[in-house]
Amino acid sequence: MPQTETYILNMGPQHPSTHGVLRVNLELDGERILRATPMMGYLHRGIEKLLEARTYVQGVPYTDRLDYVSSMNNNFGYCRAVEELAGIEVPERAEYIRVIMAELNRIASHQVFIGSLANDLGASTGMLYTFRDREEILDLFDLVCGARMTFHYIRVGGVARDLPPEFAEKCRKFLDRVPEFTAEYANLLMGNEIFQRRLKGVSRLTPEQALAHNMTGPNIRATGIPFDIRKVDGYSVYPRFGFEVPVGENGDNWDRFQVRFREITESARIVRQALDGLPEGPVMAKFPKMLKPPQGEVFSRTEGTRGELGFYIVSDGTAKPYRVHIRRPSFINMQALDDMCRGYLIGDSVVAFSAIDPLMGEVDC
Amino acid sequence: MNAMLENGVVATVAGVLREYLMLLFGNQFLTDLIMKFIGIGAVIGVILSAAIVFTYAERKVCAFIQVRLGPNRVGGRFGLLQPFADMLKLMSKEDIIPAGCDRVVWALSPMLLFVPSALAYAFFPFDKGAVFADVNVGVFLLIAISSQAVLPFLMGGYASNSKYAMIGGMRTVAQMLSYEAPMVFSLLGIVMLTGSLKMSDIVAVQADNVWFVLLQPVAFVIFVITATAETNRTPFDLVEGESEIVAGAFAEYSGMRWALFFLAEYANLLAVSILTTTFFLGGWSGPVLPGVVWFWLKALFMVFFFMWLRWTLPRTRIDQMLSLSWKVLLPLALANVMCTGIGVYIYRWL
Amino acid sequence: MKDYIGAPLLAALQQAFPSAEYDSEAAQPAVFVPAAELTALLTFLRDDGRFGFARLENLTAVDYKTYFEMVYHLFAWGANTWITVKVKLDHEAPSVPSVTGVFPGAAFEEREVYDLMGIEFSGHPDLRRILLAEDFTGHPLRKDYRQAAPPKVPRLRREGGRVYAAD
């Protein structure tokens, strides 16, 4: 009787499809995965500690480096938390601009997701197409704030500067292109038999499992739970816009893809409504230069592109926060990786990493 | 000129050369020997230049499909010198030998891989009368030789002392063995129609009648699918699976050793394109233009077709790949053989 | 936290857990509970029909120099109300029961707190460092954490193509 053993395959931190520096220990029986243990920390920079040593306003650029694919959403989340703590009233125009930026960034981030998912499936062409279209959004950001990756545009009290006059027109031009390129992605990927067979029924999670793992964002919505902070909390000016929350049915990778794919269209709808209703006025609230929020604490959350992005800030009445904790959605979503990989094949594991859509800058913080 | 078209350009040139050598040496045996060496040189030349052309072509085709420009710096606007730059880079790279590898097996693997891919070229009818070895069991020998490519992959995967390489090696065996069967059966129909295993006969029959792609469309589809799998190209690139198992069996190779794998890959790509051309697209047959031109036109179109597939499709999964072979392609190929047999019988009876 | 749990419910909570304390004057009072009763309280908050705090949105710890404070933010989706539960811990050997039995999704966050704050979670299924290396010493998010000086690298001086140690 020959003896058989399982073996450990160490995927990452240098691996083409672990999205940065994720490392996963796979216990394998042949090609089948028995256990997947994510190991992280290769990109840990101690942002929470760094924020304790900066003033509240100086902290904003650090949040850019959390989830560097959707920096605007991070800025947004952090600024909302500080404003709530300090009781700053943000001008309406600034809120509208923030929503426009956050939603544009959501589209860009989902494009990266679709592209990298396609790339992990071996169809590297899909990636080039999504990145080509993402470039248009980056151009818009470039126009607004002069940066393409880490924007530092949404600031405490409002936004850094008003929109340039040509922004509205260029943004509308981009929005008109959205149906065009989503149709192109659908053509390129979704109709493909191999693509469907690789995603459908793979890495299934039940709603109960997703809730137990405390998942948020598109990952939980794929299981059919319409948990979207934009609807649940109705923060900022989101209640003024009509948009749907796409949900999946089976909680498999196909639904995770579908949810994000449909969110692109919904985000575009929000941006268009925000552009239409953009009020005039200042874009920055008036508050003392040296911001000293009263003693207290706040937990504020927003819907980041990867899920619920929460900031817990404790103030001791000085100019620097006493403690900042960031609830990073990618980090918590990673808990589901084991359930998503167990019993599937090596080829499915990279798709599972991709489908959770973790960003190591955010996971490792 | 007419004679050249009648007998094929390559054969005519070879004939002239042979007469000249005969005059020079006056010895039949020596002339034959030299002619054989010239033939070997020509075939190796074809393989090497194919590798050079295809590295460039693959980049350009890929760029075209991916809305990019591709190489455009080295050697003018079109980056024509890119393959040479690649070659220089590969040659100047450090030869990294992984710790704990089986040195002999590890070093042998890339060399051995190149052998079957090069050997297969001996049987290709490049033009009328231009076959290096026109043996009467051509198809059989070809399949026998090409199936030897499994071993070097397994050797490389085993000897590298790397888990990714080992998985890659295992996958190669599973993939190549299971796609060998439908490939052979898809060719059986053609052999039945021709009544010969000789490569030149197969082309000659197509030149006289119709291309076999019309008579054997199912076999053609099966052959193209299995050929993609045999060359380990997307959607069946599980063996390399860049995003899964990094580079599979040759994950641990670098520099010139890796270049040999690369060379074998392109030699295989051209080989399956030539096979498709020979078996299904009428080989060198075609109107007006000389046979050798037709041959290369068809072969290069098939090369483009395989590149097109590679840069369009995602990768399948190992279980899907195997079940496609055993549950779909093999029964289909067998049914095709059966139908062909019945068809041939009825045709004879008529 | 837009809608905080109301005063009547807080009173009901205190009735069920007499050891739980909160500041009835504050706008959004955190409920302080002794470590021993934490899991019972969270289970109660999760399962009792009046509360229904089925989501643990955030778990973290704060170092107040003389004591640690575990912070749990719970959210009741549907009623859209919030509650903050806190546990005060001794600064010398902080230890708290793990809540992974109540909210399995807290596993990584507890590991993170263990890693960066150095708080022990009794009953945690897999309590290891998560962000820092296994052999790391110290807990960086503590206020008294001082980073060890980087190793001294000898400075080099270059003279005429040769390199000398410049001490």
Side-chain angles (χ1 to χ4, degrees):
Chain A
M1 184 73 194
Q3 280 249 305
T4 59
E5 277 181 20
T6 60
Y7 65 106
I8 305 276
L9 181 68
N10 185 31
M11 265 199 173
Q14 274 106 22
H15 185 276
S17 55
T18 49
H19 295 242
V21 286
L22 172 63
R23 172 175 157 213
V24 183
N25 260 24
L26 296 175
E27 190 182 338
L28 296 166
D29 175 14
E31 287 255 349
R32 203 159 288 281
I33 300 165
L34 301 177
R35 191 169 46 82
T37 321
M39 307 197 157
M40 38 240 189
Y42 291 90
L43 205 60
H44 179 62
R45 295 146 294 176
I47 286 183
E48 290 181 2
K49 186 82 177 175
L50 283 168
L51 287 176
E52 287 176 13
R54 303 288 180 276
T55 67
Y56 288 91
V57 176
Q58 282 172 345
V60 182
Y62 287 87
T63 62
D64 276 330
R65 274 81 182 164
L66 281 173
D67 172 355
Y68 40 80
V69 173
S70 51
S71 300
M72 288 283 189
N73 296 65
N74 302 336
N75 291 169
F76 195 12
Y78 177 75
C79 292
R80 276 190 59 77
V82 174
E83 284 150 12
E84 199 177 323
L85 190 65
I88 298 168
E89 201 64 42
V90 180
E92 207 177 33
R93 184 175 171 84
E95 287 283 14
Y96 271 76
I97 295 174
R98 285 173 170 198
V99 167
I100 292 174
M101 292 305 150
E103 293 307 315
L104 281 178
N105 216 162
R106 193 184 308 277
I107 297 176
S109 170
H110 286 344
Q111 282 173 330
V112 173
F113 163 78
I114 293 173
S116 51
L117 180 70
N119 192 35
D120 287 350
L121 284 168
S124 47
T125 303
M127 179 152 158
L128 271 295
Y129 278 78
T130 54
F131 274 56
R132 175 197 65 185
D133 300 327
R134 174 170 171 259
E135 206 64 15
E136 295 178 27
I137 300 176
L138 295 187
D139 284 346
L140 285 175
F141 289 153
D142 191 3
L143 186 73
V144 169
C145 66
R148 288 161 45 86
M149 272 291 273
T150 45
F151 306 110
H152 189 207
Y153 176 65
I154 296 175
R155 306 258 172 106
V156 175
V159 294
R161 68 184 91 146
D162 205 349
L163 296 174
E166 67 269 33
F167 176 81
E169 189 198 338
K170 285 194 173 164
C171 188
R172 272 177 217 282
K173 212 186 243 169
F174 167 74
L175 292 175
D176 291 337
R177 283 248 306 122
V178 170
E180 190 186 316
F181 66 68
T182 46
E184 195 173 30
Y185 304 158
N187 254 335
L188 191 68
L189 297 169
M190 273 156 69
N192 191 313
E193 173 82 17
I194 299 174
F195 189 76
Q196 291 187 12
R197 298 253 303 237
R198 283 300 301 276
L199 295 181
K200 278 186 181 165
V202 178
S203 298
R204 272 185 82 156
L205 286 183
T206 59
E208 292 74 32
Q209 276 176 309
L211 283 171
H213 288 305
N214 219 346
M215 290 179 109
T216 46
N219 284 312
I220 198 173
R221 294 199 281 276
T223 62
I225 300 171
F227 188 73
D228 187 326
I229 316 285
R230 291 174 294 175
K231 285 279 189 200
V232 174
D233 280 8
Y235 62 92
S236 190
V237 288
Y238 277 112
R240 300 185 195 175
F241 309 126
F243 66 98
E244 311 260 307
V245 178
V247 288
E249 287 161 11
N250 303 316
D252 53 5
N253 283 340
W254 176 253
D255 280 348
R256 293 189 188 99
F257 171 76
Q258 283 284 327
V259 163
R260 291 186 174 95
F261 181 76
R262 274 148 57 196
E263 268 181 23
I264 291 181
T265 317
E266 295 303 324
S267 291
R269 260 177 79 190
I270 298 174
V271 176
R272 193 180 286 278
Q273 290 171 52
L275 272 180
D276 289 341
L278 191 65
E280 290 299 319
V283 292
M284 197 60 170
K286 285 197 170 26
F287 62 91
K289 250 214 162 92
M290 185 52 86
L291 186 63
K292 284 185 181 167
Q295 213 165 9
E297 57 178 60
V298 69
F299 177 72
S300 162
R301 60 176 184 177
T302 52
E303 179 74 18
T305 47
R306 282 158 182 78
E308 176 185 335
L309 179 69
F311 284 89
Y312 173 67
I313 305 179
V314 181
S315 161
D316 57 355
T318 60
K320 295 173 182 172
Y322 186 75
R323 167 94 170 97
V324 181
H325 174 70
I326 308 163
R327 184 214 190 274
R328 291 103 62 198
S330 303
F331 176 69
I332 293 167
N333 287 347
M334 285 301 286
Q335 294 179 110
L337 188 67
D338 188 27
D339 275 351
M340 285 169 69
C341 288
R342 201 181 288 252
Y344 296 101
L345 303 171
I346 296 178
D348 294 327
S349 68
V350 292
V351 186
F353 309 155
S354 233
I356 296 181
D357 195 17
L359 215 120
M360 296 322 283
E362 191 178 76
V363 173
D364 295 344
C365 185
Chain B
M1 196 65 216
N2 258 346
M4 269 176 104
L5 276 185
E6 196 66 27
N7 295 324
V9 180
V10 180
T12 319
V13 172
V16 172
L17 201 62
R18 172 183 289 272
E19 272 172 35
Y20 177 72
L21 284 173
M22 196 65 192
L23 277 176
L24 204 65
F25 297 110
N27 184 328
Q28 184 69 39
F29 175 73
L30 200 60
T31 312
D32 277 353
L33 197 69
I34 291 171
M35 281 309 289
K36 283 288 173 206
F37 272 107
I38 291 173
I40 292 173
V43 168
I44 299 275
V46 163
I47 297 171
L48 294 181
S49 48
I52 291 172
V53 172
F54 290 170
T55 32
Y56 179 75
E58 180 105 60
R59 281 157 178 267
K60 274 293 184 194
V61 168
C62 156
F64 165 68
I65 289 170
Q66 299 186 337
V67 290
R68 298 187 284 119
L69 288 176
N72 59 357
R73 299 292 155 93
V74 193
R77 251 190 77 203
F78 300 103
L80 286 168
L81 292 179
Q82 186 66 42
F84 298 98
D86 283 347
M87 213 159 63
L88 271 180
K89 181 201 77 176
L90 284 174
M91 283 198 290
S92 57
K93 265 189 157 178
E94 189 193 346
D95 181 27
I96 301 166
I97 300 169
C101 74
D102 191 330
R103 287 285 279 276
V104 179
V105 180
W106 187 77
L108 269 178
S109 160
M111 298 174 203
L112 283 187
L113 184 65
F114 187 63
V115 173
S117 14
L119 218 53
Y121 281 77
F123 310 107
F124 294 157
F126 293 97
D127 194 358
K128 195 173 186 178
V131 192
F132 185 75
D134 198 11
V135 287
N136 50 12
V137 285
V139 179
F140 177 74
L141 254 182
L142 198 77
I143 289 163
I145 286 170
S146 69
S147 61
Q148 297 308 311
V150 181
L151 202 58
F153 267 109
L154 187 60
M155 282 165 64
Y158 160 75
S160 293
N161 189 27
S162 151
K163 283 167 188 166
Y164 288 121
M166 193 65 205
I167 297 171
M170 293 299 194
R171 281 183 175 188
T172 320
V173 177
Q175 175 169 334
M176 287 204 168
L177 289 187
S178 51
Y179 277 80
E180 203 82 16
M183 184 184 230
V184 172
F185 282 112
S186 70
L187 293 182
L188 215 52
I190 287 168
V191 174
M192 287 160 81
L193 287 179
T194 331
S196 165
L197 286 165
K198 218 171 175 175
M199 301 289 272
S200 54
D201 283 355
I202 290 171
V203 181
V205 168
Q206 292 183 76
D208 296 341
N209 303 295
V210 287
W211 294 359
F212 282 145
V213 64
L214 298 175
L215 291 178
Q216 296 271 313
V218 180
F220 176 70
V221 172
I222 294 171
F223 185 81
V224 168
I225 293 174
T226 51
T228 335
E230 288 283 308
T231 46
N232 305 325
R233 292 174 74 82
T234 319
F236 302 105
D237 63 339
L238 293 110
V239 175
E240 299 157 30
E242 196 234 329
S243 56
E244 293 168 19
I245 51 170
V246 195
F250 35 91
E252 302 292 337
Y253 288 88
S254 65
M256 273 319 281
R257 293 183 205 271
W258 185 80
L260 274 178
F261 276 112
F262 198 62
L263 194 65
E265 190 185 318
Y266 281 118
N268 281 335
L269 173 64
L270 183 62
V272 293
S273 307
I274 289 176
L275 283 180
T276 324
T277 311
T278 312
F279 288 134
F280 294 99
L281 301 179
W284 40 258
S285 70
V288 189
L289 293 169
V292 70
V293 175
W294 272 114
F295 176 81
W296 281 113
L297 275 180
K298 291 170 188 172
L300 290 179
F301 170 76
M302 283 316 293
V303 170
F304 172 74
F305 181 77
F306 284 123
M307 286 181 180
W308 185 6
L309 282 187
R310 171 165 180 180
W311 296 111
T312 312
L313 294 176
R315 181 184 310 123
T316 57
R317 211 171 50 202
I318 184 101
D319 57 330
Q320 293 167 352
M321 179 200 77
L322 292 179
S323 67
L324 175 72
S325 167
W326 294 110
K327 291 182 186 163
V328 181
L329 295 181
L330 190 60
L332 214 62
L334 285 172
N336 184 54
V337 169
M338 200 111 99
C339 293
T340 314
I342 295 168
V344 169
Y345 187 76
I346 292 172
Y347 184 78
R348 291 219 180 117
W349 184 62
L350 286 174
Chain C
M1 289 190 281
K2 229 162 47 177
D3 303 309
Y4 202 76
I5 185 170
L9 277 174
L10 276 174
L13 180 66
Q14 202 178 26
Q15 216 158 32
F17 290 87
S19 56
E21 294 167 6
Y22 65 94
D23 178 8
S24 51
E25 302 294 308
Q28 298 189 343
V31 178
F32 284 90
V33 66
E37 284 191 44
L38 174 68
T39 45
L41 183 100
L42 292 187
T43 317
F44 177 73
L45 284 175
R46 185 190 67 183
D47 294 338
D48 195 279
R50 291 169 295 172
F51 299 95
F53 287 103
R55 290 188 62 87
L56 175 68
E57 295 294 359
N58 187 38
L59 183 160
T60 188
V62 187
D63 179 7
Y64 285 107
K65 288 175 187 161
T66 50
Y67 63 95
F68 284 108
E69 206 173 76
M70 285 299 302
V71 185
Y72 303 86
H73 288 106
L74 282 83
F75 179 65
W77 188 25
N80 282 6
T81 51
W82 288 87
I83 189 168
T84 312
V85 177
K86 288 187 177 180
V87 183
K88 275 189 185 172
L89 300 176
D90 170 42
H91 202 278
E92 288 315 304
S95 174
V96 69
S98 164
V99 299
T100 45
V102 192
F103 297 107
F108 272 23
E109 286 171 295
E110 285 190 345
R111 277 178 70 185
E112 191 193 8
V113 171
Y114 166 75
D115 187 357
L116 301 177
M117 219 39 127
I119 295 173
E120 290 283 335
F121 290 89
S122 51
H124 191 284
D126 182 25
L127 197 64
R128 288 178 293 126
R129 284 191 181 269
I130 190 165
L131 292 178
L132 302 176
E134 304 264 318
D135 56 354
F136 193 87
T137 49
H139 304 284
L141 277 185
R142 286 191 179 184
K143 289 287 176 187
D144 57 2
Y145 176 78
R146 291 286 169 273
Q147 193 173 15
K152 200 169 159 64
V153 181
R155 293 177 64 183
L156 296 178
R157 185 164 50 95
R158 208 175 278 273
E159 227 166 71
R162 300 186 64 181
V163 182
Y164 303 92
D167 52 47

Short mmCIF file of all heavy atoms in Angstrom, two decimals, chain B residues 97-104 106-107 158-161 252:
data_model
loop_
_atom_site.label_atom_id
_atom_site.label_comp_id
_atom_site.label_asym_id
_atom_site.label_seq_id
_atom_site.Cartn_x
_atom_site.Cartn_y
_atom_site.Cartn_z
N ILE B 97 21.42 27.84 -11.48
CA ILE B 97 21.12 26.42 -11.24
C ILE B 97 20.50 26.32 -9.86
O ILE B 97 21.14 26.67 -8.87
CB ILE B 97 22.40 25.56 -11.34
CG1 ILE B 97 23.00 25.71 -12.74
CG2 ILE B 97 22.09 24.11 -11.03
CD1 ILE B 97 24.37 25.15 -12.87
N PRO B 98 19.24 25.88 -9.78
CA PRO B 98 18.58 25.86 -8.47
C PRO B 98 19.27 24.88 -7.53
O PRO B 98 19.80 23.85 -7.96
CB PRO B 98 17.15 25.42 -8.80
CG PRO B 98 17.22 24.82 -10.14
CD PRO B 98 18.34 25.45 -10.86
N ALA B 99 19.24 25.23 -6.25
CA ALA B 99 19.84 24.35 -5.25
C ALA B 99 19.04 23.06 -5.15
O ALA B 99 17.82 23.07 -5.23
CB ALA B 99 19.85 25.05 -3.90
N GLY B 100 19.73 21.96 -5.01
CA GLY B 100 19.06 20.69 -4.79
C GLY B 100 18.44 20.10 -6.03
O GLY B 100 17.62 19.20 -5.93
N CYS B 101 18.81 20.60 -7.21
CA CYS B 101 18.22 20.01 -8.41
C CYS B 101 19.04 18.81 -8.86
O CYS B 101 20.20 18.65 -8.48
CB CYS B 101 18.15 21.04 -9.53
SG CYS B 101 19.73 21.39 -10.28
N ASP B 102 18.42 17.98 -9.66
CA ASP B 102 19.11 16.83 -10.23
C ASP B 102 19.86 17.33 -11.46
O ASP B 102 19.28 17.45 -12.54
CB ASP B 102 18.07 15.77 -10.58
CG ASP B 102 18.72 14.45 -10.93
OD1 ASP B 102 19.85 14.48 -11.43
OD2 ASP B 102 18.09 13.42 -10.70
N ARG B 103 21.15 17.61 -11.29
CA ARG B 103 21.89 18.38 -12.29
C ARG B 103 21.82 17.79 -13.70
O ARG B 103 21.55 18.51 -14.67
CB ARG B 103 23.36 18.51 -11.88
CG ARG B 103 23.57 19.47 -10.74
CD ARG B 103 23.44 20.90 -11.19
NE ARG B 103 24.65 21.39 -11.82
CZ ARG B 103 25.68 21.86 -11.15
NH1 ARG B 103 25.65 21.91 -9.84
NH2 ARG B 103 26.75 22.31 -11.77
N VAL B 104 22.05 16.50 -13.82
CA VAL B 104 22.14 15.90 -15.15
C VAL B 104 20.78 15.96 -15.85
O VAL B 104 20.65 16.44 -16.97
CB VAL B 104 22.62 14.44 -15.03
CG1 VAL B 104 22.68 13.81 -16.40
CG2 VAL B 104 23.97 14.41 -14.36
N TRP B 106 18.32 17.79 -15.12
CA TRP B 106 17.91 19.18 -15.27
C TRP B 106 18.52 19.80 -16.51
O TRP B 106 17.87 20.51 -17.26
CB TRP B 106 18.35 19.95 -14.01
CG TRP B 106 17.86 21.34 -13.97
CD1 TRP B 106 16.61 21.73 -13.65
CD2 TRP B 106 18.61 22.52 -14.23
NE1 TRP B 106 16.52 23.09 -13.71
CE2 TRP B 106 17.73 23.59 -14.05
CE3 TRP B 106 19.93 22.76 -14.60
CZ2 TRP B 106 18.14 24.91 -14.24
CZ3 TRP B 106 20.34 24.06 -14.77
CH2 TRP B 106 19.44 25.12 -14.59
N ALA B 107 19.80 19.49 -16.75
CA ALA B 107 20.48 20.07 -17.91
C ALA B 107 20.03 19.41 -19.21
O ALA B 107 20.00 20.04 -20.25
CB ALA B 107 21.99 19.93 -17.74
N TYR B 158 10.55 17.51 -12.69
CA TYR B 158 11.00 16.69 -11.57
C TYR B 158 12.36 17.18 -11.08
O TYR B 158 12.60 17.29 -9.87
CB TYR B 158 11.08 15.24 -12.01
CG TYR B 158 11.95 14.38 -11.14
CD1 TYR B 158 11.49 13.98 -9.89
CD2 TYR B 158 13.23 14.02 -11.54
CE1 TYR B 158 12.30 13.22 -9.06
CE2 TYR B 158 14.04 13.27 -10.72
CZ TYR B 158 13.58 12.88 -9.49
OH TYR B 158 14.38 12.13 -8.68
N ALA B 159 13.25 17.51 -12.03
CA ALA B 159 14.63 17.78 -11.65
C ALA B 159 14.81 19.17 -11.04
O ALA B 159 15.80 19.44 -10.38
CB ALA B 159 15.54 17.63 -12.86
N SER B 160 13.83 20.06 -11.26
CA SER B 160 14.03 21.43 -10.81
C SER B 160 13.97 21.60 -9.31
O SER B 160 14.33 22.64 -8.79
CB SER B 160 12.97 22.35 -11.43
OG SER B 160 13.16 22.43 -12.80
N ASN B 161 13.45 20.60 -8.60
CA ASN B 161 13.29 20.71 -7.16
C ASN B 161 12.44 21.92 -6.79
O ASN B 161 12.81 22.72 -5.93
CB ASN B 161 14.66 20.80 -6.47
CG ASN B 161 14.53 20.70 -4.97
OD1 ASN B 161 13.58 20.09 -4.48
ND2 ASN B 161 15.45 21.30 -4.26
N GLU B 252 12.26 27.18 -13.26
CA GLU B 252 13.57 27.37 -12.65
C GLU B 252 14.68 27.59 -13.68
O GLU B 252 15.84 27.68 -13.31
CB GLU B 252 13.93 26.16 -11.78
CG GLU B 252 12.92 25.86 -10.68
CD GLU B 252 12.92 26.93 -9.62
OE1 GLU B 252 13.92 27.65 -9.50
OE2 GLU B 252 11.89 27.06 -8.93
#
